[in-house]
């Protein structure tokens, strides 16, 4: 009997950690900017009762959506931030199948839209004035890069012949315009706000001229993971919605956690974050499937995609926001 009790005790001691390890782990990729719901989950996990109990998150930071698509394809991530074009290109070029599950940031009338600026006293007033000029972009191949090209094409310019495009990145873009390295360059928050306060630059065009509303980023999960673990994805999406609701109800909290993650001054973030000077945020985080389809159709017609993409192939409604 003693031997049996000892064996049972040892068995219980060894089984307990196994049960703990059976809490499913979701590997999530994130980046800066415009992922405030994730920032809150990352920095304040205690606000989410299911997180750590019903599922766990293993967070990994990336510099953009393209490398996250590669990580999803390699099986190193389960969910990550996506942009319409990066999702479609990953599907067409490498066969990555995924589901759109929640929307992070979009633009609509009355809210901030990324724009290309010129010097305040620049003679450049219209698209035609850009012929022979140098145009900056955040990064070759990014979603904003292709939207800029769409704007050029819509205004009758050949982006390969009529202008020269160079990379500036977002932080150095304003200085690149001021010093003449580029004639026009892209501004997003908070760099747009800083430039506006200085007053030496002015907008030339906004991406809302290409399409409005425009979806800039959303959360996606690999189809393989979503089909195998739909309940884990549902828990995650519900927590994203919970996070966004909290942030919309308490803008001070949004500024606080964003400052912690980005290390940007809270006073600066407070000037635009979750106001009409920022991207649009909605508590439901419901993806605008029609807007995503419209943008991909524009990009396909422009030759940026090898063939048309049907966004309905990336939808599984039982794991997509809004979820009750």
């Amino acid at each position: 009997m003693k031997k049996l009790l000892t064996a049972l005790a040892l068995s219980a001691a060894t089984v307990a950690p196994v049960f703990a390890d059976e809490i499913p782990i979701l590997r999530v990729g994130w980046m800066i900017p415009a992922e405030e719901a994730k920032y809150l989950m990352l920095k304040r996990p205690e606000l989410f009762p299911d997180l750590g109990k019903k599922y766990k998150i293993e967070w990994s930071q990336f510099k953009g959506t393209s490398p996250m698509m590669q990580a999803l394809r390699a099986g190193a991530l389960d969910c990550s931030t996506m942009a319409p074009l990066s999702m479609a290109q990953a599907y067409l070029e490498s066969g990555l199948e995924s589901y759109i599950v929640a929307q992070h940031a979009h633009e609509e009338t009355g809210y901030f839209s990324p724009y290309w600026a010129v010097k305040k006293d620049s003679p450049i007033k219209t698209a035609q004035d850009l012929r022979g000029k140098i145009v900056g972009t955040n990064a070759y191949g990014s979603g904003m890069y292709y939207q800029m090209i769409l704007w050029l094409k819509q205004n009758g310019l050949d982006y390969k012949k009529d202008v020269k495009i160079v990379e500036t990145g977002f932080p150095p873009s304003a200085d690149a315009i001021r010093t003449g390295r580029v004639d026009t360059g892209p501004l997003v928050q908070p760099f747009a706000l800083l430039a506006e306060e200085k007053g030496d630059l002015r907008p030339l065009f906004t991406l809302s001229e290409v399409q409005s509303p425009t979806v800039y980023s959303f959360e996606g999960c690999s189809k393989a993971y979503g089909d195998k673990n739909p309940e884990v994805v549902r828990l995650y999406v519900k927590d994203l919605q919970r996070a966004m609701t909290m942030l919309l109800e308490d803008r001070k909290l949004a500024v606080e956690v964003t400052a912690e993650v980005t290390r940007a001054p809270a006073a600066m973030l407070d000037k635009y974050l979750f106001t009409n000077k920022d991207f649009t945020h909605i508590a439901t985080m419901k993806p605008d499937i029609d807007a995503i389809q419209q943008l991909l159709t524009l990009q396909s017609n422009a030759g940026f995609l090898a063939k048309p993409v049907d966004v309905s192939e990336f939808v599984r409604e039982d794991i997509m926001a809004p979820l009750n």
Side-chain angles (χ1 to χ4, degrees), residues 124-139:
I124 299 172
K125 307 289 185 181
T126 68
Q128 298 307 313
D129 295 332
L130 288 175
R131 291 184 185 275
K133 299 296 192 292
I134 302 174
V135 178
T137 185
N138 58 313

Side-chain angles (χ1 to χ4, degrees), residues 41-158:
M41 294 175 67
L42 178 63
K43 291 296 184 180
R44 304 287 189 277
E46 68 278 4
L47 296 177
F48 305 91
D50 293 334
L51 186 55
K53 296 179 181 178
K54 293 184 179 180
Y55 78 110
K56 296 179 181 179
I57 295 180
E58 185 179 283
W59 301 97
S60 298
Q61 184 178 4
F62 289 79
K63 292 184 178 180
T65 57
S66 294
M68 283 190 272
M69 298 306 98
Q70 296 171 15
L72 283 164
R73 178 61 177 162
L77 290 178
D78 304 312
C79 300
S80 77
T81 315
M82 296 182 178
L85 188 63
S86 62
M87 177 194 74
Q89 287 179 329
Y91 171 65
L92 294 175
E93 295 172 7
S94 63
L96 176 63
E97 295 182 302
S98 57
Y99 291 126
I100 301 168
V101 298
Q103 188 161 295
H104 290 297
H106 70 282
E107 174 278 333
E108 63 182 45
T109 302
Y111 287 83
F112 178 79
S113 176
Y115 63 85
W116 264 248
V118 295
K119 292 179 183 178
K120 190 175 182 179
D121 59 356
S122 170
I124 299 172
K125 307 289 185 181
T126 68
Q128 298 307 313
D129 295 332
L130 288 175
R131 291 184 185 275
K133 299 296 192 292
I134 302 174
V135 178
T137 185
N138 58 313
Y140 297 128
S142 69
M144 284 184 60
Y145 166 82
Y146 283 109
Q147 283 179 285
M148 173 198 69
I149 292 176
L150 282 174
W151 183 84
L152 292 171
K153 290 171 69 72
Q154 289 172 359
N155 284 275
L157 295 178
D158 185 326

Side-chain angles (χ1 to χ4, degrees), residues 23 48 136 149 169 173 215 271 293 302:
I23 297 176
F48 305 91
I149 292 176
S173 186
V215 176
K271 293 179 180 180
Q293 181 66 74

Side-chain angles (χ1 to χ4, degrees), residues 252 255-256 258-260 263-273:
K252 183 179 178 181
V255 170
E256 185 179 279
T258 302
E260 289 180 28
R263 298 182 182 178
M268 180 183 69
L269 294 171
D270 190 44
K271 293 179 180 180
Y272 76 90
L273 197 66

Side-chain angles (χ1 to χ4, degrees), residues 206-313:
T206 70
L207 290 186
S208 62
E209 296 175 37
V210 176
Q211 180 196 5
S212 183
T214 297
V215 176
Y216 289 113
S217 62
F218 51 82
E219 193 69 7
C221 299
S222 75
K223 185 177 186 295
Y225 187 90
D227 287 342
K228 187 177 180 180
N229 305 279
E231 186 53 39
V232 178
V233 176
R234 278 192 286 268
L235 289 170
Y236 176 49
V237 172
K238 288 178 181 179
D239 277 345
L240 285 172
Q241 292 176 217
R242 184 178 290 111
M244 185 59 74
T245 299
M246 291 181 192
L247 296 172
L248 287 167
E249 292 176 350
D250 185 355
R251 201 174 75 84
K252 183 179 178 181
L253 178 62
V255 170
E256 185 179 279
V257 296
T258 302
E260 289 180 28
V261 172
T262 64
R263 298 182 182 178
M268 180 183 69
L269 294 171
D270 190 44
K271 293 179 180 180
Y272 76 90
L273 197 66
F274 278 63
T275 72
N276 63 356
K277 295 180 180 179
D278 193 7
F279 293 123
T280 315
H281 302 87
I282 52 174
T284 63
M285 299 190 80
K286 181 180 180 180
D288 189 338
I289 299 300
D290 290 339
I292 295 172
Q293 181 66 74
Q294 182 183 351
L295 181 57
L296 290 180
T297 299
L298 286 171
Q299 292 168 334
S300 175
N301 291 341
F304 302 153
L305 295 173
K307 62 180 181 179
V309 172
D310 183 355
V311 177
S312 66
E313 296 181 19

